[in-house]
Amino acid sequence: MIHGLGPDSAIHEDEALGKAYDARLMRRLMGYLRPYRGLVVLTSLLLLAISLLQLVGPYLTKVAIDTYIVSQDYAGVRNMALLYLGIWCLLAVLQYFQTYLMHRMGQHVIYDLRTQVFQHLQGQSLRFFDRNPVGRLMTRVVNDVEVLDEMFTTGVVTFLGDCFILAGITVAMIWLDWKLALLTLALVPLLVLVSSIYRRKAREAYRRTRLALARLNAYLHENLAGMRTVQAFVRERRNLKTFHGINLTYRDLMLRSIFYNSLFFPAVEIIGALATALVIWYGGGRVVQGLVELGVLVAFLQYLERFFRPIRDLAEKYNIMQSAMASSERLFKILDTQPDLESPAHPVAVSQCRGAVRFDRVWFAYRSGEWVLQDFTLEIEPGERIALVGPTGAGKSTLTNLLCRFYDPQRGRVLIDGVDVRDYDLKDLRRRIGLVIQDVFLFSGDVEANIRLGDTRIGLERVRQAARRVNAHRFIEQLPRGYQEPVAERGATFSAGQRQLISFARVLAIDPQILILDEATSSVDTETEHLIQENLEELLRGRTSIIVAHRLATVQRVDRIIVLRDGAVVEMGSHAELLRRGGLYATLYWYQFKDRAEDLADLAPSGAQGAL
Amino acid sequence: MLDKNLTSLKPYLLRYRWRLLAGILALLFTDACGLVVPWVLKLAIDGISSPRNSASLLHYAGLLMLAVLVQAVFRVGWRNGIFGFSRRVEADLRCDFFQHLQRLSPSFYDRAQTGDLMSRATNDLSAVRELLGMGAMGIVDGVLVVAASVSIMLVIDPRLTLLTMLPLPVITLAVLRLGKLVHERSRETQEQAAALSAMVQESFAGIRVVKAYVQEEAEYREFARLSREYFEKNMALVRVRAIFLPCIALMSAVGVALTLGYGGWRVIAGGMSLGSFVAFLGYLAMLTWPLMALGFVVNLYQRGMASLARINEILAVEPEVRDAPDALGDFTVDGAIEFRNLTFRYSRGAAGPAATATGEAGAPVLRNVTLRIPAGGVVALVGATGSGKSTLVNLVPRLYDPPPGTVFIDGVEVRRIPLTRLRSAIGYVSQEPYLFSDTLAANILFSAPARNGVEPREEAEVAQLSREICALPQGFETLIGERGVNLSGGQKQRVALARALARRPRILILDDAFSSVDTETEEKILRGLRAKLRGCTCLLVSHRVTTLQEADRIVVLEEGRIIEEGTNRELLARRGAYWRLYQKQLLAQGLEDRLRQAPFQAAVDAVPHSSPYRAAPPQERLGTRPSQRQESAP
Ligand SMILES: Nc1ncnc2c1ncn2[C@@H]1O[C@H](COP(=O)(O)OP(=O)(O)OP(=O)(O)O)[C@@H](O)[C@H]1O
Ligand SMILES: Nc1ncnc2c1ncn2[C@@H]1O[C@H](COP(=O)(O)OP(=O)(O)OP(=O)(O)O)[C@@H](O)[C@H]1O
Ligand SMILES: [Mg+2]
Ligand SMILES: [Mg+2]
């Protein structure tokens, strides 16, 4: 059976879209600022100071005109000019520090959030990774977090700054002339209307561009990772066409959202102009009537210009907020996903491990209802060496997955030394088990690091020894840089067998009490495999080991062979017993030598002695 | 170097030049309207201060509205024009980038990191787009508004204007200096972002290993280190970038202060009208934004150029394998393969996508290989790990380019066969198959001629997938995960086999394609293949004797050399490497003795009568029927 992901699978997930401003999300985001309270206060104060100082500018001009120029006091004018310059020098310095500190704060938050998300993702179970393509996880950890940086730096703080400015200007205008101020503020409802229309449009456009972008990146990622296959199967043109289509969809959606943005900006400006016109018409009239000084009017006009500027920029900020909210929603969704498989609160301490393994009436399915194992029971004695054989898809790898607790069974228990694996600490459990995974994976880095992995306690000598045991030492030594030879992504520059040997060596560099070899030598030639077996003989002694293999020569030396089919044990016993029984094992076995009849004549008389 | 990078954008600029021009024109008009506004304000204020014509206040207000309305129309125009232009160029550039990546050979991907390439196609590309959109806007806006404002200011009061411009050269110099730093640091930041992406991508792709070996902490430490470095690089960039805005704001402040001081004195002295003075201040204020924009543009420019350089770095990589200029226009592959004294080495380059084929060549992986396979022939390759089997078969579809004059198909050198023709005729099952997250049917029909929804039943049957697929609720429409995560090892291999069969190949390459398949299933597959592949040339790599025996001829490789070649019987008679291998697999534990005592028949008797082994008598092999095959060969 193949267990598909089903139409409800998250692989082709729709991107959910939240509100542009969500108080709950915002509060949670702000929580990340807590460790940097000092920075936040400092930048806010700086910002406040900057906003206030910036407001002083037009006021100084007003004073210069109304008080000094009108009264022909040049010294006063000069002082005003010097004051203006001084204030701006101060402003420049403050601005520099404010920008710097603000980014520092943003980067801190990003760092914290990013490492947190990464760590949380790592803790997820394999079920999670089965469903979520790597491209998407990458987007979360790298891009989604980056978007928040924009919000924290350009968004939140400047938003705060804009609020200061708006409030300040409103106060200043009311203070200058409350009637004029009221007149201009009467236009605010119009602004609200325009922006709410815009918001609706922008939201929809944004949602669709997000979706298109996610598709674009996923497609790109999968194509890059599988480019050899694409090329070997001459799919370039068709894939290019698909890509082109996705790309164009994305572009056109972007163009549409540019269009909405382009409407909003002038709309605000027209409203702003309306305000200015009103001020000229009404305020000008009052100046003429002598009710208002000219300087007040000039200052008022300058304030107006500053009043509408932040509102105009709202379009940009709105987009930033929108994407920040969407990103943080996705991030929080991940952070809120509890791993469906965790260490217990009070794990059983691992004492001297004997290595008794027991599958006790285990029921297991990757997808509910599609049972891979049904009522599966198997007992392995401490120190016993067993082999799992059987047709592909029988559930051999699944058994090893359960033993390492990569998945939890739906029913029944998996026991090690009589204790349910769910009662051990996950890491303790996995440290006791040495698993060679069927799908070889090498990391980029060098050969040595690939064998040792992150364990700094393993020295080069140990690495060499492990490599020697799997017969990899020879080819590694022949590499120009030996154990320091760089390994490309997934070990692309090694032969499949060499990759497998390196991945095999990992398990020998550690000292596990239970050893699981899931097709550890399936791509390795018979001779090398044979040598490895001899080298392992001594190593395996006294250790519980489970060996999965299709090449039956690999499993001859075990104590017991277990034959699986469709998730059930169909036969069990030693090689000789099973052969004698003439069941599935015997079939599998004899298929290996089906042509021997004709060769036998050549071989039997003398050949047997020459071998081994 | 910068210029060279910029010229790579030329075709895109040319393609959308009218759009860009229209955008720029609209922007000019927008700015022109913007200049009218302070003028109207000046008139209004002058009007107010000399109340002779107070009746025309409404007139000024109307004029202002008109100017802004016209401006609004142009603003919509330029935004769509210029930003639309940048988005269009971005889309084209992305498509070309993708197309270029498609042309690059496997040797490139051997060294490239997927995460890094992704980072270039996303982060770097957006930086370039911003350079084009915001950059174009900033430059035009900046230069024009500055020029226009300055000339109007010159008209109002030339001396005052020159005075206010005093700090300009200083600022320009500073901006250019800083620009270099920004470029340098932007590049470092982008590189670090790519490194981070690559690390994340690997760590999650290899999560099974990470978990099995309890490496979460080590991975986390590494990730935290890279993030920390990214933090530092970003801050280093911010430190220079943060200088720009205050710098420019200061410059305009100096201008305002000078205007206040000097202009105020002139107004007092009566050399300047109050209205002109206010308008002058207005123009100065208007200068601030474009000047800031110019500073911003310098930032954008430096960042965009750093990113463009990273994209061009990839675009500059020449595909190692491509159609030769003297390629045959038309060629139909029949299937005869010949290797003529082939010596092959992989070029060794440093890791990283920038490393190209120019790296020095390593030690030879294949040495003097000479081998002829007639059309319809079946040849099996066997040999130690790393002996060059995969390398040899990869040269047939030209995944790597063999040296000239070494590999021939139907007597024609592979280099001269058009790549698409060649590869279309080859069914290739690689040693580690890559499946796509799509439905089973789509995976199997990956490159098959369009079949309009017909399910690939026949292929699935040959690959022994039918039983498993039938058991699925969605059958062929079942979605499989990334790289086929939800399939067992053997299932992946069989899907890959079905995929290769679906294209009805002339040449079938099976590179250890049954290593995760049990012997019984393998035998069934081989039996199906026999029927299906009549007349098809087949290159088999395997470590299993059973599979090898399917072939007409078996070739044993050792360290890149052919050390033995012949039929199963010949090789056994030779008692060489093949014979030793055979012995090892045959003389399984305990069998040795049993064989001596009880000859083969006893063992055969042990096989149940219902077993498929009986159904397929051992005599029926691919290799035993060369005559039949020749008949069916066209
Ligand atoms: N991660 C997964 N999600 C869903 N289904 C899975 C997953 N892994 C395996 N399966 C399914 O479970 C069944 C048993 O798979 P398993 O990997 O245990 O087989 P196996 O015996 O190891 O086969 P092989 O010899 O081919 O490796 C198969 O039908 C497979 O499709
Ligand atoms: N892309 C590559 N770049 C550089 N060297 C390579 C590359 N691929 C393989 N090699 C080297 O070439 C040699 C032959 O590799 P090849 O993959 O042909 O071996 P193989 O016979 O297929 O082995 P296996 O049985 O393990 O699959 C090996 O030493 C390997 O390290
Ligand atoms: Mg398996
Ligand atoms: Mg190989």
Side-chain angles (χ1 to χ4, degrees), chain B residues 161-386:
Chain B
T161 313
L162 290 181
L163 200 61
T164 53
M165 292 296 126
L166 272 184
L168 195 60
V170 185
I171 298 284
T172 316
L173 222 64
V175 162
L176 289 182
R177 260 288 165 72
L178 285 176
K180 265 207 201 92
L181 263 181
V182 169
H183 182 88
E184 198 47 36
R185 297 196 177 174
S186 296
R187 190 176 52 76
E188 282 171 15
T189 314
Q190 295 287 63
E191 274 167 11
Q192 190 63 28
L196 198 67
S197 287
M199 145 100 210
V200 172
Q201 113 99 23
E202 278 212 334
S203 185
F204 289 139
I207 190 75
R208 277 154 212 271
V209 178
V210 170
K211 283 186 180 281
Y213 289 87
V214 201
Q215 291 303 313
E216 286 97 333
E217 257 154 58
E219 288 288 297
Y220 175 73
R221 271 201 307 273
E222 176 65 9
F223 178 76
R225 190 181 65 76
L226 287 177
S227 298
R228 187 79 218 174
E229 236 167 81
Y230 188 45
F231 174 94
E232 300 296 349
K233 294 257 154 73
N234 263 311
M235 287 321 297
L237 179 58
V238 166
R239 268 198 290 279
V240 246
R241 267 174 42 178
I243 301 178
F244 276 89
L245 289 189
C247 227
I248 287 160
L250 195 59
M251 137 141 198
S252 73
V254 171
V256 173
L258 286 172
T259 311
L260 271 183
Y262 179 67
W265 176 71
R266 296 271 308 277
V267 174
I268 291 173
M272 194 181 184
S273 80
L274 190 57
S276 303
F277 179 69
V278 172
F280 202 90
L281 277 179
Y283 286 116
L284 256 187
M286 258 176 60
L287 270 182
T288 320
W289 155 242
L291 274 181
M292 284 196 183
L294 277 184
F296 188 61
V297 166
V298 174
N299 260 326
L300 276 183
Y301 176 78
Q302 297 299 357
R303 198 163 69 105
M305 288 318 279
S307 287
L308 188 60
R310 280 168 51 75
I311 293 172
N312 283 340
E313 191 182 6
I314 301 292
L315 290 177
V317 179
E318 288 287 330
E320 221 167 291
V321 181
R322 58 181 157 188
D323 280 335
D326 60 340
L328 301 171
D330 203 21
F331 187 85
T332 314
V333 174
D334 186 34
I337 305 171
E338 186 185 349
F339 300 98
R340 227 179 264 168
N341 198 18
L342 163 68
T343 298
F344 179 81
R345 8 166 94 84
Y346 288 103
S347 53
R348 291 178 44 81
T356 53
T358 48
E360 88 269 31
V365 172
L366 296 172
R367 300 163 210 246
N368 308 65
V369 173
T370 300
L371 182 65
R372 276 185 110 122
I373 307 164
V378 177
V379 166
L381 297 169
V382 66
T385 282

Side-chain angles (χ1 to χ4, degrees), chain A residues 300-356:
Chain A
F300 211 91
L301 287 174
Q302 286 188 8
Y303 280 135
L304 261 189
E305 143 81 4
R306 281 178 199 216
F307 185 77
F308 282 93
R309 203 186 296 155
I311 295 180
R312 243 171 19 192
D313 295 348
L314 210 74
E316 315 293 322
K317 269 170 215 150
Y318 183 80
N319 286 337
I320 292 174
M321 287 306 269
Q322 172 98 64
S323 43
M325 285 300 133
S327 292
S328 56
E329 184 160 16
R330 285 191 293 268
L331 289 174
F332 289 147
K333 206 169 112 197
I334 282 179
L335 290 178
D336 289 339
T337 312
Q338 279 310 308
D340 50 30
L341 175 157
E342 270 183 308
S343 291
H346 305 287
V348 174
V350 180
S351 49
Q352 193 45 51
C353 167
R354 296 180 302 126

Side-chain angles (χ1 to χ4, degrees), chain A residues 1-3 130 366 372 391-398 407 438 519 550, chain B residues 485-491 516:
Chain A
M1 301 142 276
I2 297 166
H3 298 262
D130 285 350
Y366 288 100
V372 176
T392 91
K396 304 178 294 294
S397 302
T398 304
Y407 300 86
Q438 190 172 8
E519 303 267 18
H550 287 304
Chain B
V485 274
N486 52 340
L487 300 182
S488 85
Q491 285 166 345
S516 301

